[in-house]
Amino acid sequence: MHDGSAFYDPYSREVFDDPYPVYKSLRDEAPLYRDPSARWWVLSRFDDVWSAVRDYATFSSRLGPDPANLDDNGRKYSIISMDPPRHDRVRSILNRSFTPDRVAAQERQVREIVEGYFDRLEPGTRVDAMTAFAGPIPSDVIGALLDLPAADRPYLRELWDLYLAREEGVFGLPRAAIDASRKISEYISGIIEERRARPGSDLISTVLHAEYRDEHGEVTRLDDHDVLMFCNLLSAAGSETTQKLIGNALAALSEHRDEWRRIVADPSLIPTAVDEALRYDTPSHYIARTTTRDVALHGGVIPAGDWVLLLLGAANRDDREYPDPDAFRADREFDRSVFFGWGRHVCLGQWLARLETQIVLEMMATRFPDFEAGERTRILTSTVRGFDRLELELR
Ligand code: HEM
């Protein structure tokens, strides 16, 4: 239980600037931490997070990922806030579109998108990585899968940034986030109507026309609202987190020159280096659940119905799971990981996010092997950690 020494608030400046010392004191001193305002409990050790994500019957997703913006079984956030069996049925509509094989088959298209941005970069110049390629690449990739017009993608990216931005110390959604959410829904609704009239081979058409079996065994389709929420989720989840991963990976590798030089000399390390970047400074710092029964843990009890934050960012640095967790090791091997979650809700787009980031690192290694990261600013968002500006010297 909490002995009063650790203090954790996801909206605080301290956590925003550098969460890792706070995470360590949580893991070591308060593995079951009660927020002083009694909003939620916090689990930070790898084993606890690992057990919770696998036990969906006890740790329910039904009220959604954000205690400040409650859902009800997927009405706002689609599958991310559904519990089985409904979750599994709806997710099954797209499961096959995101398998490792299906994603591997998209490699050429992803590579073309990445190359297009890298062809515009000149050695000997400075660029902001986030606007030059880290931001646009993931939104172009998911934009292509959803077949969103290329000219609209920057507009949508701006809206998602606004939707996820938070104000320091403030619990709840800022006005701009609420407005952005409405505009995203209006935009995606328009596209859905077009696809209803003229279906294509894109994911929006797949979701719109997919048939699945409901709990009574009847063949059914998603209603209009559920189609919209599923497509909203894909467009957001597909771009925000991946752009943060690309930025975080480049910043980490610039600071770990020896590891970067190993990668440049041996690009076969890139896939494990991407997973290590996901562990070392993950974009997705926590996910939320509510308990369906009392849970006894570390000498305390989380009562049924309370919110629990599962700190993926803290679990990733737990020395009980990862030797030398504060070091970046490009060849680290993983028995278990939670940076994409795990269990029923494990990230649908994990193979796509990996592929995009791997190709970016390949391009950097071949075209700008001596790059260096310079000035940077972080963006404060609800759960996603990363930069909105990251200067790179391209060499
Ligand atoms: C580095 C990039 C990414 C990270 C760190 C990330 C992280 C996560 C995490 C932690 C979850 C689990 C949420 C939970 O258990 O409550 C999740 C779920 C999800 N992610 Fe990702 N994600 C990334 C990229 C993507 C991409 C590219 C897509 C889209 C194509 C995507 C689509 C989804 C969807 C649809 C879910 C919900 C799955 C479910 O509830 O069954 N993600 N992601």
Side-chain angles (χ1 to χ4, degrees):
M1 265 295 274
H2 184 211
D3 66 1
S5 50
F7 175 74
Y8 169 73
D9 177 353
Y11 303 105
S12 77
R13 173 59 56 180
E14 190 188 5
V15 167
F16 177 57
D17 287 341
D18 181 9
Y20 296 109
V22 182
Y23 288 169
K24 181 169 171 43
S25 49
L26 286 175
R27 285 188 310 261
D28 293 348
E29 297 155 30
L32 175 61
Y33 176 79
R34 180 63 163 155
D35 169 57
S37 319
R39 292 173 294 192
W40 46 62
W41 302 82
V42 177
L43 296 178
S44 51
R45 287 192 184 168
F46 186 95
D47 267 339
D48 294 334
V49 170
W50 175 256
S51 304
V53 283
R54 293 160 72 230
D55 183 1
Y56 63 83
T58 305
F59 292 90
S60 163
S61 294
R62 198 185 163 103
L63 294 185
D66 187 353
N69 187 16
L70 299 197
D71 199 355
D72 176 19
N73 209 12
R75 296 305 286 171
K76 286 186 191 163
Y77 297 100
S78 187
I79 52 171
I80 223 161
S81 42
M82 291 177 193
D83 282 335
R86 182 160 183 250
H87 168 271
D88 300 7
R89 292 198 177 95
V90 179
R91 180 166 164 143
S92 72
I93 292 172
L94 281 188
N95 259 342
R96 266 170 296 143
S97 304
F98 286 97
T99 58
D101 284 353
R102 279 293 281 276
V103 170
Q106 286 149 11
E107 179 169 342
R108 204 165 55 88
Q109 187 180 23
V110 176
R111 196 170 279 283
E112 269 171 23
I113 291 172
V114 178
E115 262 169 11
Y117 285 98
F118 271 77
D119 285 349
R120 290 175 217 165
L121 304 178
E122 294 284 339
T125 59
R126 279 165 191 262
V127 291
D128 168 19
M130 302 314 291
T131 48
F133 59 89
I137 289 169
S139 69
D140 274 6
V141 170
I142 194 70
L145 291 178
L146 299 173
D147 197 14
L148 304 178
D152 297 349
R153 292 174 201 163
Y155 167 70
L156 210 49
R157 210 163 55 237
E158 206 176 293
L159 291 179
W160 277 119
D161 284 344
L162 283 170
Y163 177 63
L164 289 173
R166 293 292 178 270
E167 287 155 13
E168 193 190 346
V170 176
F171 173 73
L173 260 65
R175 182 79 245 162
I178 296 168
D179 287 347
S181 158
R182 185 179 40 78
K183 287 183 187 156
I184 294 160
S185 290
E186 280 168 10
Y187 175 83
I188 302 276
S189 295
I191 302 276
I192 291 173
E193 285 321 306
E194 284 172 21
R195 299 295 147 77
R196 202 187 295 281
R198 282 180 301 282
S201 55
D202 60 286
L203 293 183
I204 293 184
S205 302
T206 306
V207 172
L208 190 58
H209 298 282
E211 293 184 331
Y212 68 102
R213 283 195 188 275
D214 68 11
E215 55 273 37
H216 313 294
E218 303 287 329
V219 174
T220 182
R221 287 185 179 181
L222 292 181
D223 67 25
D224 291 357
H225 179 83
D226 283 340
V227 169
L228 173 63
M229 291 304 119
F230 207 165
C231 297
N232 270 359
L233 173 64
L234 288 174
S235 76
S239 88
E240 272 304 320
T241 41
T242 313
Q243 54 161 286
K244 299 299 184 281
L245 171 62
I246 293 171
N248 293 358
L250 291 173
L253 286 165
S254 173
E255 277 145 26
H256 295 80
R257 299 307 292 177
D258 292 349
E259 293 300 290
W260 177 241
R261 286 206 184 88
R262 285 178 68 200
I263 293 169
V264 172
D266 177 7
S268 73
L269 285 172
I270 288 176
T272 51
V274 168
D275 277 21
E276 177 67 342
L278 278 155
R279 184 198 69 80
Y280 182 80
D281 197 13
T282 202
S284 210
H285 269 241
Y286 65 83
I287 54 179
R289 299 289 191 261
T290 45
T291 44
T292 56
R293 60 171 178 85
D294 291 0
V295 178
L297 205 60
H298 301 299
V301 175
I302 308 175
D306 273 13
W307 280 97
V308 185
L309 302 189
L310 306 176
L311 287 194
L312 310 181
N316 290 340
R317 295 280 192 111
D318 190 348
D319 58 6
R320 297 160 191 82
E321 178 68 16
Y322 300 113
D324 204 4
D326 297 324
F328 189 108
R329 290 192 192 156
D331 59 354
R332 192 184 288 274
E333 286 185 8
F334 291 87
D335 293 331
R336 306 188 292 178
S337 68
V338 289
F339 36 72
F340 282 124
W342 196 260
R344 293 295 224 276
H345 289 274
V346 69
C347 177
L348 189 65
Q350 59 171 314
W351 299 104
L352 193 60
R354 284 186 170 107
L355 177 66
E356 292 174 40
T357 313
Q358 286 168 12
I359 297 175
V360 167
L361 292 191
E362 252 180 59
M363 296 278 164
M364 289 300 293
T366 47
R367 300 192 186 189
F368 308 111
D370 297 318
F371 86 93
E372 212 159 317
E375 283 187 21
R376 58 204 77 175
T377 52
R378 281 197 178 279
I379 177 159
L380 180 61
T381 73
S382 57
T383 62
V384 181
R385 177 178 164 79
F387 304 107
D388 57 358
R389 194 174 68 87
L390 173 66
E391 198 178 273
L392 294 187
E393 175 124 23
L394 299 175
R395 296 195 290 247

mmCIF file of all heavy atoms in Angstrom, residues 319-351:
data_model
loop_
_atom_site.group_PDB
_atom_site.id
_atom_site.type_symbol
_atom_site.label_atom_id
_atom_site.label_comp_id
_atom_site.label_asym_id
_atom_site.label_seq_id
_atom_site.Cartn_x
_atom_site.Cartn_y
_atom_site.Cartn_z
ATOM 1 N N ASP A 319 12.854 -3.423 -12.900
ATOM 2 C CA ASP A 319 14.045 -4.302 -12.900
ATOM 3 C C ASP A 319 13.706 -5.718 -12.449
ATOM 4 O O ASP A 319 14.530 -6.618 -12.547
ATOM 5 C CB ASP A 319 15.198 -3.707 -12.083
ATOM 6 C CG ASP A 319 14.824 -3.440 -10.641
ATOM 7 O OD1 ASP A 319 13.697 -3.824 -10.233
ATOM 8 O OD2 ASP A 319 15.649 -2.839 -9.924
ATOM 9 N N ARG A 320 12.472 -5.929 -11.974
ATOM 10 C CA ARG A 320 12.045 -7.294 -11.657
ATOM 11 C C ARG A 320 11.786 -8.080 -12.949
ATOM 12 O O ARG A 320 11.721 -9.301 -12.932
ATOM 13 C CB ARG A 320 10.768 -7.264 -10.803
ATOM 14 C CG ARG A 320 10.957 -6.592 -9.451
ATOM 15 C CD ARG A 320 9.614 -6.140 -8.840
ATOM 16 N NE ARG A 320 9.842 -5.295 -7.688
ATOM 17 C CZ ARG A 320 10.110 -3.983 -7.756
ATOM 18 N NH1 ARG A 320 10.166 -3.383 -8.925
ATOM 19 N NH2 ARG A 320 10.318 -3.286 -6.654
ATOM 20 N N GLU A 321 11.585 -7.369 -14.064
ATOM 21 C CA GLU A 321 11.335 -8.032 -15.359
ATOM 22 C C GLU A 321 12.499 -7.850 -16.334
ATOM 23 O O GLU A 321 12.859 -8.775 -17.059
ATOM 24 C CB GLU A 321 10.054 -7.458 -15.989
ATOM 25 C CG GLU A 321 9.709 -8.019 -17.366
ATOM 26 C CD GLU A 321 9.299 -9.494 -17.330
ATOM 27 O OE1 GLU A 321 8.989 -10.013 -16.239
ATOM 28 O OE2 GLU A 321 9.305 -10.130 -18.409
ATOM 29 N N TYR A 322 13.071 -6.658 -16.358
ATOM 30 C CA TYR A 322 14.101 -6.343 -17.357
ATOM 31 C C TYR A 322 15.421 -6.020 -16.676
ATOM 32 O O TYR A 322 15.487 -5.035 -15.925
ATOM 33 C CB TYR A 322 13.683 -5.135 -18.202
ATOM 34 C CG TYR A 322 12.392 -5.347 -18.969
ATOM 35 C CD1 TYR A 322 11.245 -4.626 -18.656
ATOM 36 C CD2 TYR A 322 12.325 -6.276 -20.000
ATOM 37 C CE1 TYR A 322 10.063 -4.825 -19.357
ATOM 38 C CE2 TYR A 322 11.148 -6.475 -20.706
ATOM 39 C CZ TYR A 322 10.023 -5.755 -20.371
ATOM 40 O OH TYR A 322 8.858 -5.961 -21.071
ATOM 41 N N PRO A 323 16.477 -6.796 -16.951
ATOM 42 C CA PRO A 323 17.773 -6.453 -16.365
ATOM 43 C C PRO A 323 18.223 -5.084 -16.868
ATOM 44 O O PRO A 323 18.020 -4.768 -18.041
ATOM 45 C CB PRO A 323 18.716 -7.552 -16.880
ATOM 46 C CG PRO A 323 17.883 -8.519 -17.632
ATOM 47 C CD PRO A 323 16.509 -7.966 -17.814
ATOM 48 N N ASP A 324 18.812 -4.304 -15.983
ATOM 49 C CA ASP A 324 19.353 -2.996 -16.351
ATOM 50 C C ASP A 324 18.327 -2.171 -17.145
ATOM 51 O O ASP A 324 18.572 -1.750 -18.281
ATOM 52 C CB ASP A 324 20.630 -3.221 -17.204
ATOM 53 C CG ASP A 324 21.556 -2.026 -17.149
ATOM 54 O OD1 ASP A 324 21.242 -1.070 -16.408
ATOM 55 O OD2 ASP A 324 22.565 -2.035 -17.876
ATOM 56 N N PRO A 325 17.165 -1.924 -16.540
ATOM 57 C CA PRO A 325 16.029 -1.390 -17.312
ATOM 58 C C PRO A 325 16.214 0.031 -17.813
ATOM 59 O O PRO A 325 15.555 0.430 -18.764
ATOM 60 C CB PRO A 325 14.866 -1.436 -16.315
ATOM 61 C CG PRO A 325 15.514 -1.362 -14.975
ATOM 62 C CD PRO A 325 16.816 -2.083 -15.111
ATOM 63 N N ASP A 326 17.118 0.807 -17.219
ATOM 64 C CA ASP A 326 17.283 2.189 -17.673
ATOM 65 C C ASP A 326 18.303 2.300 -18.806
ATOM 66 O O ASP A 326 18.583 3.401 -19.283
ATOM 67 C CB ASP A 326 17.673 3.112 -16.502
ATOM 68 C CG ASP A 326 16.549 3.149 -15.470
ATOM 69 O OD1 ASP A 326 15.374 3.111 -15.884
ATOM 70 O OD2 ASP A 326 16.844 3.171 -14.265
ATOM 71 N N ALA A 327 18.865 1.153 -19.209
ATOM 72 C CA ALA A 327 19.804 1.169 -20.347
ATOM 73 C C ALA A 327 19.033 0.834 -21.625
ATOM 74 O O ALA A 327 18.075 0.056 -21.595
ATOM 75 C CB ALA A 327 20.900 0.132 -20.138
ATOM 76 N N PHE A 328 19.461 1.441 -22.749
ATOM 77 C CA PHE A 328 18.892 1.110 -24.055
ATOM 78 C C PHE A 328 19.782 0.048 -24.684
ATOM 79 O O PHE A 328 20.958 0.293 -24.940
ATOM 80 C CB PHE A 328 18.861 2.360 -24.946
ATOM 81 C CG PHE A 328 18.093 2.164 -26.226
ATOM 82 C CD1 PHE A 328 16.856 2.773 -26.403
ATOM 83 C CD2 PHE A 328 18.591 1.371 -27.256
ATOM 84 C CE1 PHE A 328 16.137 2.598 -27.581
ATOM 85 C CE2 PHE A 328 17.868 1.183 -28.429
ATOM 86 C CZ PHE A 328 16.650 1.802 -28.588
ATOM 87 N N ARG A 329 19.238 -1.128 -24.913
ATOM 88 C CA ARG A 329 20.022 -2.199 -25.545
ATOM 89 C C ARG A 329 19.334 -2.613 -26.833
ATOM 90 O O ARG A 329 18.275 -3.238 -26.793
ATOM 91 C CB ARG A 329 20.057 -3.421 -24.628
ATOM 92 C CG ARG A 329 20.885 -3.216 -23.395
ATOM 93 C CD ARG A 329 21.052 -4.579 -22.775
ATOM 94 N NE ARG A 329 21.584 -4.493 -21.442
ATOM 95 C CZ ARG A 329 21.417 -5.425 -20.517
ATOM 96 N NH1 ARG A 329 20.695 -6.504 -20.806
ATOM 97 N NH2 ARG A 329 21.947 -5.294 -19.338
ATOM 98 N N ALA A 330 19.989 -2.318 -27.956
ATOM 99 C CA ALA A 330 19.361 -2.573 -29.264
ATOM 100 C C ALA A 330 19.047 -4.054 -29.474
ATOM 101 O O ALA A 330 18.172 -4.396 -30.268
ATOM 102 C CB ALA A 330 20.275 -2.067 -30.368
ATOM 103 N N ASP A 331 19.751 -4.942 -28.766
ATOM 104 C CA ASP A 331 19.516 -6.377 -28.998
ATOM 105 C C ASP A 331 18.795 -7.039 -27.819
ATOM 106 O O ASP A 331 18.868 -8.254 -27.650
ATOM 107 C CB ASP A 331 20.843 -7.091 -29.262
ATOM 108 C CG ASP A 331 21.810 -6.929 -28.091
ATOM 109 O OD1 ASP A 331 21.485 -6.170 -27.148
ATOM 110 O OD2 ASP A 331 22.887 -7.554 -28.125
ATOM 111 N N ARG A 332 18.063 -6.253 -27.034
ATOM 112 C CA ARG A 332 17.370 -6.841 -25.884
ATOM 113 C C ARG A 332 16.338 -7.865 -26.358
ATOM 114 O O ARG A 332 15.619 -7.629 -27.330
ATOM 115 C CB ARG A 332 16.682 -5.745 -25.073
ATOM 116 C CG ARG A 332 16.174 -6.218 -23.716
ATOM 117 C CD ARG A 332 15.411 -5.116 -23.004
ATOM 118 N NE ARG A 332 16.259 -4.044 -22.508
ATOM 119 C CZ ARG A 332 16.882 -4.039 -21.330
ATOM 120 N NH1 ARG A 332 16.749 -5.078 -20.522
ATOM 121 N NH2 ARG A 332 17.611 -3.002 -20.963
ATOM 122 N N GLU A 333 16.283 -8.997 -25.657
ATOM 123 C CA GLU A 333 15.269 -9.987 -26.034
ATOM 124 C C GLU A 333 14.111 -9.920 -25.060
ATOM 125 O O GLU A 333 14.321 -9.734 -23.866
ATOM 126 C CB GLU A 333 15.893 -11.380 -26.057
ATOM 127 C CG GLU A 333 16.759 -11.503 -27.294
ATOM 128 C CD GLU A 333 17.343 -12.877 -27.480
ATOM 129 O OE1 GLU A 333 16.969 -13.794 -26.724
ATOM 130 O OE2 GLU A 333 18.174 -13.013 -28.400
ATOM 131 N N PHE A 334 12.911 -10.095 -25.586
ATOM 132 C CA PHE A 334 11.723 -9.940 -24.747
ATOM 133 C C PHE A 334 10.997 -11.264 -24.578
ATOM 134 O O PHE A 334 10.599 -11.873 -25.566
ATOM 135 C CB PHE A 334 10.756 -8.946 -25.399
ATOM 136 C CG PHE A 334 11.264 -7.535 -25.387
ATOM 137 C CD1 PHE A 334 12.083 -7.070 -26.409
ATOM 138 C CD2 PHE A 334 10.946 -6.688 -24.344
ATOM 139 C CE1 PHE A 334 12.563 -5.776 -26.389
ATOM 140 C CE2 PHE A 334 11.427 -5.390 -24.313
ATOM 141 C CZ PHE A 334 12.236 -4.929 -25.335
ATOM 142 N N ASP A 335 10.852 -11.706 -23.317
ATOM 143 C CA ASP A 335 9.954 -12.837 -23.071
ATOM 144 C C ASP A 335 8.524 -12.327 -23.006
ATOM 145 O O ASP A 335 7.597 -12.951 -23.487
ATOM 146 C CB ASP A 335 10.286 -13.509 -21.727
ATOM 147 C CG ASP A 335 11.640 -14.180 -21.780
ATOM 148 O OD1 ASP A 335 12.022 -14.605 -22.886
ATOM 149 O OD2 ASP A 335 12.318 -14.256 -20.737
ATOM 150 N N ARG A 336 8.380 -11.174 -22.332
ATOM 151 C CA ARG A 336 7.033 -10.618 -22.167
ATOM 152 C C ARG A 336 7.125 -9.102 -22.354
ATOM 153 O O ARG A 336 8.154 -8.502 -22.045
ATOM 154 C CB ARG A 336 6.501 -10.886 -20.750
ATOM 155 C CG ARG A 336 6.531 -12.337 -20.353
ATOM 156 C CD ARG A 336 5.826 -12.557 -19.031
ATOM 157 N NE ARG A 336 6.524 -11.960 -17.890
ATOM 158 C CZ ARG A 336 6.076 -11.991 -16.644
ATOM 159 N NH1 ARG A 336 4.919 -12.574 -16.373
ATOM 160 N NH2 ARG A 336 6.762 -11.444 -15.656
ATOM 161 N N SER A 337 6.047 -8.504 -22.833
ATOM 162 C CA SER A 337 6.041 -7.049 -22.938
ATOM 163 C C SER A 337 4.613 -6.549 -22.780
ATOM 164 O O SER A 337 3.656 -7.287 -23.035
ATOM 165 C CB SER A 337 6.574 -6.607 -24.296
ATOM 166 O OG SER A 337 5.666 -6.981 -25.306
ATOM 167 N N VAL A 338 4.474 -5.295 -22.338
ATOM 168 C CA VAL A 338 3.131 -4.695 -22.234
ATOM 169 C C VAL A 338 3.045 -3.356 -22.967
ATOM 170 O O VAL A 338 2.068 -2.646 -22.828
ATOM 171 C CB VAL A 338 2.698 -4.498 -20.752
ATOM 172 C CG1 VAL A 338 2.400 -5.835 -20.098
ATOM 173 C CG2 VAL A 338 3.725 -3.700 -19.957
ATOM 174 N N PHE A 339 4.089 -3.021 -23.758
ATOM 175 C CA PHE A 339 4.024 -1.692 -24.389
ATOM 176 C C PHE A 339 2.909 -1.591 -25.420
ATOM 177 O O PHE A 339 2.486 -0.489 -25.757
ATOM 178 C CB PHE A 339 5.373 -1.236 -24.976
ATOM 179 C CG PHE A 339 6.216 -2.323 -25.585
ATOM 180 C CD1 PHE A 339 5.863 -2.903 -26.793
ATOM 181 C CD2 PHE A 339 7.363 -2.738 -24.952
ATOM 182 C CE1 PHE A 339 6.662 -3.879 -27.366
ATOM 183 C CE2 PHE A 339 8.167 -3.727 -25.516
ATOM 184 C CZ PHE A 339 7.818 -4.305 -26.721
ATOM 185 N N PHE A 340 2.408 -2.674 -25.941
ATOM 186 C CA PHE A 340 1.215 -2.646 -26.786
ATOM 187 C C PHE A 340 0.015 -3.193 -26.013
ATOM 188 O O PHE A 340 -0.962 -3.627 -26.613
ATOM 189 C CB PHE A 340 1.420 -3.493 -28.037
ATOM 190 C CG PHE A 340 2.261 -2.838 -29.113
ATOM 191 C CD1 PHE A 340 3.403 -3.458 -29.600
ATOM 192 C CD2 PHE A 340 1.898 -1.611 -29.654
ATOM 193 C CE1 PHE A 340 4.163 -2.861 -30.600
ATOM 194 C CE2 PHE A 340 2.653 -1.012 -30.661
ATOM 195 C CZ PHE A 340 3.795 -1.629 -31.130
ATOM 196 N N GLY A 341 0.061 -3.174 -24.670
ATOM 197 C CA GLY A 341 -0.938 -3.893 -23.899
ATOM 198 C C GLY A 341 -0.696 -5.388 -24.085
ATOM 199 O O GLY A 341 0.347 -5.813 -24.620
ATOM 200 N N TRP A 342 -1.635 -6.187 -23.663
ATOM 201 C CA TRP A 342 -1.560 -7.633 -23.881
ATOM 202 C C TRP A 342 -2.951 -8.201 -23.681
ATOM 203 O O TRP A 342 -3.843 -7.509 -23.190
ATOM 204 C CB TRP A 342 -0.544 -8.284 -22.923
ATOM 205 C CG TRP A 342 -0.154 -9.671 -23.371
ATOM 206 C CD1 TRP A 342 -0.639 -10.842 -22.897
ATOM 207 C CD2 TRP A 342 0.785 -9.991 -24.405
ATOM 208 N NE1 TRP A 342 -0.061 -11.893 -23.573
ATOM 209 C CE2 TRP A 342 0.814 -11.402 -24.507
ATOM 210 C CE3 TRP A 342 1.583 -9.237 -25.256
ATOM 211 C CZ2 TRP A 342 1.622 -12.067 -25.426
ATOM 212 C CZ3 TRP A 342 2.393 -9.888 -26.166
ATOM 213 C CH2 TRP A 342 2.403 -11.293 -26.241
ATOM 214 N N GLY A 343 -3.155 -9.467 -24.072
ATOM 215 C CA GLY A 343 -4.455 -10.106 -23.858
ATOM 216 C C GLY A 343 -5.441 -9.675 -24.938
ATOM 217 O O GLY A 343 -5.059 -9.327 -26.051
ATOM 218 N N ARG A 344 -6.746 -9.676 -24.577
ATOM 219 C CA ARG A 344 -7.801 -9.422 -25.558
ATOM 220 C C ARG A 344 -7.654 -8.081 -26.271
ATOM 221 O O ARG A 344 -8.009 -7.940 -27.424
ATOM 222 C CB ARG A 344 -9.168 -9.434 -24.875
ATOM 223 C CG ARG A 344 -9.578 -10.771 -24.352
ATOM 224 C CD ARG A 344 -9.763 -11.718 -25.526
ATOM 225 N NE ARG A 344 -10.946 -12.513 -25.420
ATOM 226 C CZ ARG A 344 -11.028 -13.647 -24.726
ATOM 227 N NH1 ARG A 344 -9.976 -14.100 -24.077
ATOM 228 N NH2 ARG A 344 -12.153 -14.315 -24.683
ATOM 229 N N HIS A 345 -7.159 -7.062 -25.546
ATOM 230 C CA HIS A 345 -7.102 -5.716 -26.131
ATOM 231 C C HIS A 345 -5.729 -5.385 -26.709
ATOM 232 O O HIS A 345 -5.471 -4.221 -27.021
ATOM 233 C CB HIS A 345 -7.465 -4.672 -25.077
ATOM 234 C CG HIS A 345 -8.915 -4.685 -24.712
ATOM 235 N ND1 HIS A 345 -9.867 -3.986 -25.417
ATOM 236 C CD2 HIS A 345 -9.571 -5.328 -23.716
ATOM 237 C CE1 HIS A 345 -11.053 -4.199 -24.871
ATOM 238 N NE2 HIS A 345 -10.904 -5.008 -23.832
ATOM 239 N N VAL A 346 -4.854 -6.372 -26.837
ATOM 240 C CA VAL A 346 -3.508 -6.052 -27.339
ATOM 241 C C VAL A 346 -3.645 -5.269 -28.641
ATOM 242 O O VAL A 346 -4.539 -5.526 -29.456
ATOM 243 C CB VAL A 346 -2.662 -7.335 -27.528
ATOM 244 C CG1 VAL A 346 -3.175 -8.192 -28.684
ATOM 245 C CG2 VAL A 346 -1.194 -6.989 -27.737
ATOM 246 N N CYS A 347 -2.767 -4.284 -28.801
ATOM 247 C CA CYS A 347 -2.880 -3.325 -29.911
ATOM 248 C C CYS A 347 -3.117 -4.020 -31.249
ATOM 249 O O CYS A 347 -2.327 -4.862 -31.683
ATOM 250 C CB CYS A 347 -1.610 -2.489 -29.980
ATOM 251 S SG CYS A 347 -1.614 -1.354 -31.369
ATOM 252 N N LEU A 348 -4.180 -3.615 -31.908
ATOM 253 C CA LEU A 348 -4.508 -4.175 -33.216
ATOM 254 C C LEU A 348 -3.462 -3.784 -34.258
ATOM 255 O O LEU A 348 -3.171 -4.538 -35.181
ATOM 256 C CB LEU A 348 -5.886 -3.638 -33.630
ATOM 257 C CG LEU A 348 -6.552 -4.209 -34.852
ATOM 258 C CD1 LEU A 348 -6.898 -5.681 -34.661
ATOM 259 C CD2 LEU A 348 -7.822 -3.432 -35.188
ATOM 260 N N GLY A 349 -2.893 -2.580 -34.087
ATOM 261 C CA GLY A 349 -1.983 -2.072 -35.123
ATOM 262 C C GLY A 349 -0.511 -2.292 -34.810
ATOM 263 O O GLY A 349 0.348 -1.656 -35.409
ATOM 264 N N GLN A 350 -0.204 -3.222 -33.883
ATOM 265 C CA GLN A 350 1.190 -3.334 -33.425
ATOM 266 C C GLN A 350 2.174 -3.653 -34.560
ATOM 267 O O GLN A 350 3.272 -3.087 -34.610
ATOM 268 C CB GLN A 350 1.333 -4.352 -32.295
ATOM 269 C CG GLN A 350 0.880 -5.748 -32.642
ATOM 270 C CD GLN A 350 1.240 -6.757 -31.553
ATOM 271 O OE1 GLN A 350 2.355 -6.772 -31.060
ATOM 272 N NE2 GLN A 350 0.298 -7.594 -31.174
ATOM 273 N N TRP A 351 1.769 -4.502 -35.498
ATOM 274 C CA TRP A 351 2.722 -4.886 -36.556
ATOM 275 C C TRP A 351 2.912 -3.755 -37.550
ATOM 276 O O TRP A 351 3.994 -3.559 -38.098
ATOM 277 C CB TRP A 351 2.267 -6.191 -37.242
ATOM 278 C CG TRP A 351 2.210 -7.288 -36.244
ATOM 279 C CD1 TRP A 351 1.090 -7.821 -35.664
ATOM 280 C CD2 TRP A 351 3.328 -7.919 -35.603
ATOM 281 N NE1 TRP A 351 1.447 -8.750 -34.718
ATOM 282 C CE2 TRP A 351 2.811 -8.841 -34.665
ATOM 283 C CE3 TRP A 351 4.717 -7.804 -35.735
ATOM 284 C CZ2 TRP A 351 3.615 -9.634 -33.861
ATOM 285 C CZ3 TRP A 351 5.526 -8.601 -34.937
ATOM 286 C CH2 TRP A 351 4.981 -9.503 -34.017
#
